[in-house]
Amino acid sequence: MILSERLKHIVSMIPNCKCIADIGTDHGYIPIYAVLNGISERAIATDINKGPIDAAIKNFKKYRVIDKIEARIGDGLKPLKIGEADVSVIAGMGGNLIGNILNENIELARSFKCILLQPMQYPEVLRKYLVENNFSIIDEDIVKDENKYYHILKVSNNRMQPFEKEVYYYTGKILIEKKHPLIEEYISDKINVLEEILSSIPTENPRHYEVEKLLNEFKEVKECL
Ligand SMILES: C[S@@+](CC[C@H](N)C(=O)[O-])C[C@H]1O[C@@H](n2cnc3c(N)ncnc32)[C@H](O)[C@@H]1O
């Protein structure tokens, strides 16, 4: 099974566990990899749509893991009960949707030893949700795959201090602290995008000040790298 760079980075952050719950499994590659490589003894793969679940089951048969991975159809964490899985992965969805999925079954979300989250857009919205709802970001990675950046967050059920600067919700504070090899390039790209946005907003528009403030924070962080 050949994994994309994005998926390779996600699976590399999964801790050894008894049962992993992959929410929005689609092709099912995450639980297949976890079970085949001894990261997880068993897995539960869920998806809101029947099409992806049928495709995942086909792959579970192909890779001979059908006896170790249970497929369930349903919305977010709803197909799970507390205690069935000790680790969860929610990858390949927007930051808003991932936050909603956690929020709709918050007790269950808090029951995992850790959760791996990989937002396709708006990682800053997800980091804000986590900070405001007493989750803790314990590790982070960023990967560039086919010219797009993907953030991966490892989260546990502990309280964490809000970030001192708005920019950290965009960059991830851990990625800055550990001087991740991609972070400078990521920040430079964000600076270019923000400069373009800023030039299109009239100075009298209050949004101009907000974007300028964020842009300056990005520049300050880049200087300190
Ligand atoms: C882009 S795929 C990501 C597949 C895989 N997790 C990955 O990262 O490669 C998104 C999947 O999430 C499923 N999905 C969307 N909203 C969902 C929800 N609320 N609950 C469960 N699955 C959902 C979709 O049906 C789709 O199969």
Side-chain angles (χ1 to χ4, degrees), residues 135-158:
F135 286 98
S136 178
I137 302 168
I138 53 176
D139 198 8
E140 295 211 35
D141 194 8
I142 185 167
V143 54
K144 197 173 181 184
D145 197 354
E146 296 188 354
N147 232 20
K148 202 172 175 301
Y149 298 98
Y150 299 100
H151 298 240
I152 307 165
L153 283 62
K154 191 174 193 173
V155 166
S156 74
N157 178 31
N158 300 311

Side-chain angles (χ1 to χ4, degrees), residues 55-69:
I57 291 172
K58 240 185 189 173
N59 283 333
F60 300 156
K61 288 180 182 156
K62 178 175 168 191
Y63 289 98
R64 300 172 193 274
V65 287
I66 190 77
D67 55 331
K68 291 193 171 166
I69 308 179

Side-chain angles (χ1 to χ4, degrees), residues 197-215:
I197 295 173
L198 191 64
S199 68
S200 70
I201 308 175
T203 44
E204 60 275 19
N205 184 330
R207 178 102 185 100
H208 187 98
Y209 169 75
E210 285 167 28
V211 174
E212 192 172 40
K213 188 166 174 274
L214 183 61
L215 174 62

